[in-house]
Every structure is written in structure tokens, then in C-alpha cells.
Amino acid sequence: MIVRIMGEGQVELDDSRLTELDELDDELLAELERGDEAGFRRTLTALLDAVRRLGTPLPDDSLEPSGLILPSPDAGLEEVREMLGDDGLIPG
């Protein structure tokens, strides 16, 4: 799956790695619901770091269709709320 981190670029991530990201996504969703800004910031950073670590960056001039779009590291609570699906940011 191609994952885009807004403002950064794309990485290719094996679909089997999505289960590893689900726990962080669940935490992020709970922190959003509570309005926990500090927890949200910490978990968003951890989620994006995990995507970077587990994925393979695509060249900057590559523009592949993204199967998943994640917020930028500096996104706020409201911006991320608008991006959420029924399952959070990570499907499944």
C-alpha cells in the first residue's frame, strides 16, 4: 500500500504492517475523543514515525495513488478529526 504523509511524501508499506499501526490509531482516536492534546501529539508522532520506519520511501518525483493519507506531523486535533473514517486513520 502507498501511504502519503501530508507535507512529506509517500512510502510503500506492506499491508501486513497495518496491524502494527492499528494500536496507535486506536490510541489516537481515544485521545481525540477526550481532547487530550498532549497525548494526541505524542501518539501522532509515534504513528508517523512507525510508518516511516516500516515503510520504504518513494522517490520525491514519484506520484503514486495513495491508499492511505495521514496528517502532517503538525496537524491539529480538528484537522485530524476531519480526516477520520469510521475506523480511525488506519482502515481495518
Side-chain angles (χ1 to χ4, degrees):
M1 170 183 290
I2 304 298
V3 179
R4 172 175 301 284
I5 298 175
M6 294 177 69
E8 286 188 24
Q10 295 177 303
V11 298
E12 187 167 4
L13 186 69
D14 189 276
D15 287 351
S16 66
R17 299 296 198 163
L18 293 177
T19 56
E20 296 176 51
L21 303 176
D22 275 338
E23 186 175 317
L24 289 168
D25 188 43
D26 291 344
E27 275 183 54
L28 189 70
L29 186 58
E31 290 157 352
L32 279 167
E33 289 173 355
R34 289 192 309 266
D36 178 357
E37 178 76 35
F40 161 79
R41 184 72 38 220
R42 181 182 58 249
T43 304
L44 178 60
T45 297
L47 177 63
L48 297 177
D49 286 347
V51 169
R52 292 180 198 109
R53 185 181 78 253
L54 298 170
T56 303
L58 295 178
D60 289 339
D61 62 349
S62 175
L63 188 58
E64 301 294 324
S66 300
L68 180 61
I69 299 175
L70 297 177
S72 67
D74 60 347
L77 287 167
E78 289 307 314
E79 184 179 349
V80 174
R81 268 193 190 103
E82 291 174 11
M83 295 179 71
L84 289 176
D86 293 338
D87 294 331
L89 292 171
I90 310 291

